[in-house]
Amino acid sequence: MPKRSGSECGLVHLFTRRQCLATAATEALLNPRSFNQENHKLVMEDPWQNNVNQQGMDFPPYGDSGGQQYPYQTDFPQHGGERDEDARSDVTEGHDEDAEAMYEGEYQGIPHPDEIKAAQRAARAEARKKARLAASGAEEEDLAEQYENIMEDCGHGRFQWTLFLVLGMALMADGVDGFVVGFVLPSAEKDMCLSNADKGMLGLLVYVAMMVGATVWGGLADKMGRRTCLIYCLAIDCVFSFLSCFAQGYGFFLFFRFCSGFGIGGTVPIVYTYFAEFLQMDKRGEHLSWLCMFWMFGGLFASFTAWGIIPHYGWGFSLGTEFQIHSWRVFTLVCMFPAIIALVCLFFMPESPRFLLENARHDEAWMVLRQVHDTNWKAKGEPERVFTVSNITTPKNQDDEFIEIQSDTGTAFQRWTVRHMTLVKQVMQNVISLAAPNLRLQGLFLAIIWFTMAFSYHGLSVWFPDMIKYMQFEEYESKVKLFHRERVERFHFNFSLVNQIHKEGEYVHDKFMNIEIRSVKFEDSLFENCYFEDIKSTNSYFENCTIKNTVFYNTDLWEDSKFKDCRLENATFLHPKKGCHLNFQEENDIVIYMVSFLGSLATLPGNILSALFMDKIGRIKIIGGSMLISSLGTFFLLLAFNQGAVICCQCLFYATSVAAWNGLEVITVEVYPSAKRCTAFGVLNGSCKLAAIIGSFIFAKFIGITRIVPIFLAFASLVCGGLLATKLPDTREKILE
């Protein structure tokens, strides 16, 4: 094999050494400690690699050529001292000018080890900074995705259907409570002799109580738990509804109904939030829509029971002479059944695992998820499937730590104060956080849509029955009999007087015994030496009359209530009846029950269609389409000139608008994160009740005056809400945050 010249050998040596340095620099970036140790060892043993041939061959030392001479050998010094000095130069790197020049050239473009370490420290510091900035968001995202995977592993089965029925009864109780006051008011106003102002105050305070209850209980459910707060809501409703059944005075009845409304007002936001957190993404829209049907069942139950109980006076009973339990009170008692059933069943249901995880209660959440998993798979015939989840993300906030620190310090009252003040602070902070930049715009859109929908829906819900009553009143007045300047002397009235007006009449030595006086008005008339006994009056008055030497025995004709601007001379009232007479034969009440029943039944097709298509076409199209179609249906009210036409328009409106309600409730649950979900739902539901109060007041003012204004208001609000719904985000494929 031919030997290489000295110049060739030097080039090979330099090229190979550059490769080694490049490789070493790469290793230094990956493992600087190992690089420093190995490089130090390499330099100390053979820094120039002169004793090893890069081709795997040994070269003889200079001057020992074995018969072959190098081309520069004649010029190379032969003195031993010079040779030794050259050898020392080869061994000791960096101690002569040639070697120093070679070192600087070899390290061109290669970072110094100190620079490598500094760069690594900066990279690690930057990574830690980014991790801290994204810590909270990443943690929530991990929890959301992990929880969705767990719910998919648990499946949808017996547990969800059981919870569906329990929460459905709670929602049904809310639906029933919305009809109770309207159904009992015609009877209660006569039993308690309520004025129009008293009736208006009763209806107003019930809605105010529901508005406050929705906001308060929605906020508390995000801190105390969905199940816990729902139990409190139903318990309050049951207790005060029961007490209202026996309240004889208007003040107590008003107070008890207000407290009942405060309790039942919190059920809607809690029920939807509670159920949604047990559903996986592909089941959420459909099954929440099916749950909405229970509000319809509540309306049907209330209408049917009112129709069957209230008109039957014999269903009531009395406890002594001062304690009267009429049939409308029995109806109020029966309406408690859905709430009682839901309350009892809730004691056997677990807390929402998502709420437990959000509040760092890992062990409880794991047990609930395992219960859901085992219940579903055992019902499907696969009991051998094991719940394999062992670690779940559990965020913990500073308020929880603060409460834990304070739980073992101070007196019992101080600990109670700290916990409840912290709870109030957390609820207020949660409400304020709804105005955060990432939630502000969509929250505003949802609030406007909720308000416009409730304004038109509840406004027309009041307008329909009031319009029917007005048509009945007009028809009734058209048949009124007028008696003018009649004189009746020594006559025995043993037949009922119905729908009559008597003006400037004279009644002398007449007897009115065992009769009913209904919708009768005496104006500018004279009653002299007359006798009234066992009289039952309804909507009957004596106005600007003169009563002389007349006896009223066992009648409900009160001096203060039935006589307006009358002159009483030697009139005697013996054993007057307490309370006002209840007339259960009026046809108006029966029609109202039937109208409410048909209106609730008309929502059945809309409920079914919205449930079937909620996940197929999306929440936005359901809400927008339903509101726009309903707005067009309001123009049919211009053609409703009789009671039958009004009832048909009511059923059409309810059938087309119910899908918008279902879509709103579904998308409200999905838009907000778990820590704020119930709070946001409660605030929006509270705004809904406020809109109902405003709409009911405005629409009722135009009864008998004009139809144009109510129709225009309903149309404008529905169109506004329907168009704004297109700006909402599509949440079909969204994991609950």
Side-chain angles (χ1 to χ4, degrees):
M1 186 174 182
K3 295 184 179 181
R4 298 179 179 177
S5 63
S7 60
E8 291 176 344
C9 182
L11 291 173
V12 171
H13 170 73
L14 180 60
F15 177 75
T16 306
R17 188 160 184 266
R18 288 184 182 275
Q19 286 183 327
C20 293
L21 289 172
T23 305
T26 304
E27 294 178 356
L29 292 173
L30 300 177
N31 194 347
R33 180 178 299 177
S34 175
F35 166 77
N36 292 338
Q37 294 174 354
E38 294 177 1
N39 188 47
H40 177 71
K41 181 178 178 182
L42 180 64
V43 171
M44 294 301 296
E45 291 179 353
D46 193 2
W48 290 101
Q49 299 291 312
N50 289 333
N51 298 327
V52 180
N53 182 18
Q54 279 74 11
Q55 299 297 327
M57 298 176 61
D58 295 336
F59 284 88
Y62 294 120
D64 186 8
S65 60
Q68 298 181 3
Q69 301 293 328
Y70 287 107
Y72 59 87
Q73 190 172 4
T74 56
D75 298 331
F76 189 81
Q78 299 297 323
H79 302 287
E82 295 178 358
R83 183 181 300 180
D84 294 338
E85 183 180 355
D86 184 65
R88 286 193 300 269
S89 178
D90 290 338
V91 174
T92 58
E93 176 185 355
H95 292 281
D96 57 336
E97 295 180 359
D98 295 336
E100 185 69 24
M102 183 181 294
Y103 177 84
E104 292 178 357
E106 289 171 349
Y107 277 86
Q108 269 189 334
I110 299 176
H112 193 275
D114 293 337
E115 296 177 358
I116 295 174
K117 293 180 181 179
Q120 289 175 338
R121 285 193 296 269
R124 286 193 295 269
E126 185 68 20
R128 286 194 298 269
K129 182 179 179 181
K130 292 181 179 179
R132 284 194 300 269
L133 293 176
S136 58
E139 187 177 29
E140 292 179 2
E141 183 179 1
D142 291 342
L143 175 59
E145 294 178 355
Q146 186 181 17
Y147 189 80
E148 181 65 26
N149 294 332
I150 293 173
M151 293 311 302
E152 290 179 357
D153 182 60
C154 292
H156 188 92
R158 175 178 293 177
F159 182 89
Q160 279 83 1
W161 285 113
T162 304
L163 184 64
F164 174 81
L165 295 176
V166 174
L167 297 181
M169 295 304 295
L171 194 61
M172 183 176 173
D174 179 80
V176 170
D177 221 61
F179 288 90
V180 167
V181 173
F183 287 159
V184 305
L185 200 55
S187 300
E189 67 172 316
K190 299 168 185 174
D191 193 15
M192 300 180 182
C193 293
L194 302 182
S195 63
N196 290 332
D198 292 335
K199 292 188 295 182
M201 180 62 68
L202 179 60
L204 173 64
L205 284 184
V206 170
Y207 267 99
V208 170
M210 289 183 175
M211 178 181 66
V212 176
T215 306
V216 172
W217 289 113
L220 291 175
D222 278 332
K223 298 302 176 183
M224 297 174 58
R226 286 68 160 117
R227 173 182 173 270
T228 302
C229 287
L230 187 56
I231 289 176
Y232 287 154
C233 290
L234 293 174
I236 291 173
D237 175 59
C238 290
V239 170
F240 287 100
S241 293
F242 178 79
L243 294 176
S244 69
C245 297
F246 301 95
Q248 298 296 304
Y250 171 71
F252 282 108
F253 183 77
L254 185 66
F255 173 75
F256 292 147
R257 293 313 305 180
F258 179 86
C259 295
S260 173
F262 175 76
I264 202 66
T267 56
V268 171
I270 299 176
V271 162
Y272 286 104
T273 302
Y274 190 13
F275 191 51
E277 292 175 347
F278 281 96
L279 297 174
Q280 57 200 59
M281 183 175 60
D282 58 340
K283 302 285 186 180
R284 196 166 55 229
E286 177 184 354
H287 288 271
L288 284 175
S289 299
W290 289 124
L291 185 65
C292 298
M293 293 184 65
F294 280 93
W295 206 91
M296 175 198 72
F297 294 148
L300 293 175
F301 176 79
S303 304
F304 184 77
T305 53
W307 197 347
I309 294 177
I310 293 180
H312 299 280
Y313 184 81
W315 284 40
F317 59 92
S318 61
L319 301 175
T321 58
E322 300 292 335
F323 208 68
Q324 303 292 327
I325 307 298
H326 296 127
S327 58
W328 68 268
R329 300 181 185 271
V330 178
F331 163 73
T332 306
L333 195 64
V334 172
C335 287
M336 294 171 51
F337 289 168
I340 294 175
I341 295 172
L343 179 62
V344 173
C345 293
L346 271 174
F347 283 100
F348 301 95
M349 303 307 297
E351 181 58 86
S352 165
R354 186 59 183 272
F355 166 79
L356 297 174
L357 291 174
E358 291 288 342
N359 289 269
R361 296 160 64 179
H362 174 276
D363 294 339
E364 298 176 62
W366 188 88
M367 293 297 294
V368 173
L369 291 171
R370 181 181 177 182
Q371 177 186 353
V372 176
H373 178 277
D374 294 346
T375 302
N376 288 341
W377 290 112
K378 285 180 181 178
K380 295 178 181 179
E382 300 183 37
E384 69 280 358
R385 297 192 62 159
V386 180
F387 186 62
T388 58
V389 177
S390 58
N391 185 27
I392 309 176
T393 305
T394 53
K396 190 171 185 178
N397 55 45
Q398 295 179 354
D399 290 324
D400 295 330
E401 296 176 355
F402 177 73
I403 292 176
E404 292 176 4
I405 293 173
Q406 294 291 326
S407 61
D408 297 328
T409 61
T411 64
F413 177 75
Q414 289 174 339
R415 294 195 298 269
W416 182 89
T417 303
V418 168
R419 288 181 175 275
H420 287 79
M421 290 301 295
T422 305
L423 179 63
V424 172
K425 182 186 71 173
Q426 289 176 329
V427 172
M428 294 302 297
Q429 288 177 347
N430 229 16
V431 174
I432 295 173
S433 66
L434 297 178
N438 60 325
L439 300 174
R440 185 183 304 154
L441 186 60
Q442 62 188 14
L444 178 62
F445 288 166
L446 278 173
I448 295 175
I449 297 172
W450 272 90
F451 190 92
T452 54
M453 185 66 199
F455 177 82
S456 58
Y457 184 88
H458 289 283
L460 288 177
S461 296
V462 171
W463 189 85
F464 285 128
D466 283 357
M467 193 65 190
I468 292 173
K469 288 182 179 180
Y470 178 76
M471 290 180 174
Q472 291 174 338
F473 177 75
E474 282 188 327
E475 182 180 358
Y476 192 72
E477 275 201 334
S478 64
K479 300 177 181 179
V480 66
K481 297 178 181 178
L482 178 62
F483 299 89
H484 186 66
R485 291 187 177 182
E486 63 175 350
R487 179 179 176 85
V488 182
E489 188 173 356
R490 300 184 184 279
F491 185 79
H492 185 189
F493 290 88
N494 56 2
F495 52 88
S496 296
L497 304 179
V498 180
N499 196 20
Q500 299 176 3
I501 296 178
H502 299 263
K503 292 184 176 183
E504 301 179 5
E506 295 183 4
Y507 306 90
V508 182
H509 294 287
D510 295 327
K511 292 183 178 181
F512 301 82
M513 301 178 65
N514 297 316
I515 64 173
E516 179 181 355
I517 302 177
R518 184 173 54 187
S519 299
V520 176
K521 188 176 182 181
F522 295 94
E523 296 180 359
D524 302 315
S525 299
L526 171 66
F527 292 86
E528 186 174 0
N529 295 318
C530 295
Y531 182 77
F532 292 82
E533 182 178 351
D534 293 329
I535 303 298
K536 298 177 181 179
S537 63
T538 303
N539 194 29
S540 299
Y541 303 95
F542 297 83
E543 183 175 350
N544 199 26
C545 297
T546 302
I547 313 293
K548 295 182 179 181
N549 302 321
T550 300
V551 176
F552 298 89
Y553 180 83
N554 195 29
T555 69
D556 60 2
L557 301 176
W558 291 9
E559 183 179 356
D560 297 332
S561 61
K562 299 294 183 178
F563 299 92
K564 300 179 179 180
D565 300 325
C566 294
R567 187 170 63 257
L568 302 178
E569 299 178 3
N570 197 24
T572 305
F573 296 88
L574 301 175
H575 302 287
K577 292 182 179 180
K578 298 295 182 180
C580 300
H581 170 61
L582 288 175
N583 180 18
F584 295 96
Q585 306 299 325
E586 291 186 3
E587 297 180 357
N588 291 7
D589 293 343
I590 303 297
V591 172
I592 295 304
Y593 304 147
M594 182 187 68
V595 168
S596 299
F597 183 85
L598 293 177
S600 298
L601 188 63
T603 63
L604 180 61
N607 277 307
I608 295 176
L609 291 176
S610 64
L612 294 178
F613 293 98
M614 187 66 70
D615 288 322
K616 291 182 174 61
I617 67 177
R619 292 83 161 115
I620 300 174
K621 294 180 180 178
I622 289 286
I623 299 171
S626 176
M627 295 185 75
L628 293 177
I629 294 174
S630 301
S631 66
L632 297 177
T634 57
F635 286 104
F636 287 103
L637 295 175
L638 295 173
L639 306 177
F641 295 105
N642 55 61
Q643 300 178 38
V646 173
I647 294 174
C648 291
C649 290
Q650 178 192 25
C651 294
L652 177 64
F653 177 75
Y654 286 168
T656 55
S657 62
V658 68
W661 282 118
N662 297 352
L664 269 177
E665 286 151 354
V666 172
I667 199 171
T668 302
V669 169
E670 296 173 331
V671 163
Y672 289 94
S674 297
K676 301 176 178 63
R677 183 170 298 126
C678 219
T679 301
F681 206 126
V683 171
L684 292 173
N685 195 253
S687 69
C688 167
K689 297 298 187 293
L690 176 62
I693 295 172
I694 297 174
S696 301
F697 177 79
I698 292 177
F699 279 63
K701 289 296 182 181
F702 293 96
I703 297 295
I705 299 177
T706 180
R707 302 184 185 187
I708 301 299
V709 175
I711 292 174
F712 174 77
L713 291 176
F715 173 79
S717 61
L718 288 170
V719 169
C720 176
L723 295 177
L724 194 60
T726 59
K727 300 298 182 180
L728 294 176
D730 189 2
T731 57
R732 277 182 293 177
E733 303 296 330
K734 182 179 181 181
I735 297 175
L736 290 181
E737 298 179 1

